[in-house]
Amino acid sequence: MITPIIILLLLTGPMLIAGLLGRRQRQHPAQSSAQSLALARQQQAFWGLSLAFIFFAIGHGVETQGMVAMLPPWLPVRLELVYATGLLELVIAAGLLIPRFRIRTAQLAIGVFVIFFPANIYAAMHQVGLGGHQWGPVYLLLRAPLQCILIAWAYYFCLKPIPVREQRKHSY
């Protein structure tokens, strides 16, 4: 059950690395303003979310048959749907890295997390042997909070504007 750990590391990795590098920079006299630090944090959040979506897309290519099994048999063109959603995840990953498209792409990412979650419920209820789903409904005790973390990350770190009060408070 290493997949959720990998996802969390990819998500937080850019912030953790920047934090470690930032500590080294703070020893130097030149320091950034609070606003530029907040903007840098937001950029790192976009990078982390992008890395997570790249990981998701790779999973659709590497574990294609497992992903197909996660979908109900009555759903038509399941294989094509797995490839299409993997491509969508790559598009989202790229969009999160392009400043012009970041906000809309983060909104799309939240929608994808919500829309794709029923496949995780189906897989857990039918104990599909991919990424922990074979544990059955118990797996949802891990997967549901992970989905909430991903949605919260996209909203709070990528979409929520930096408060003006915080910008003024630390700008001198």
Side-chain angles (χ1 to χ4, degrees), residues 53-151:
F53 268 96
I54 290 169
F55 179 73
F56 302 150
I58 290 171
H60 282 79
V62 173
E63 293 287 344
T64 306
Q65 290 307 315
M67 296 283 183
V68 169
M70 288 178 62
L71 301 172
W74 53 262
L75 196 64
V77 296
R78 294 184 305 158
L79 178 64
E80 292 82 359
L81 191 57
V82 168
Y83 284 131
T85 54
L87 182 61
L88 174 62
E89 289 167 339
L90 279 178
V91 168
I92 290 171
L96 290 167
L97 297 176
I98 302 169
R100 180 177 177 195
F101 300 117
R102 281 182 172 163
I103 300 300
R104 292 279 182 216
T105 306
Q107 292 168 338
L108 176 61
I110 291 172
V112 164
F113 290 136
V114 172
I115 291 169
F116 287 10
F117 192 66
N120 289 296
I121 294 172
Y122 175 86
M125 298 308 258
H126 291 86
Q127 299 181 343
V128 174
L130 177 66
H133 293 97
Q134 67 275 13
W135 291 7
V138 171
Y139 174 70
L140 294 173
L141 295 175
L142 290 174
R143 186 62 191 215
L146 179 60
Q147 290 290 119
C148 291
I149 289 169
L150 291 166
I151 291 168

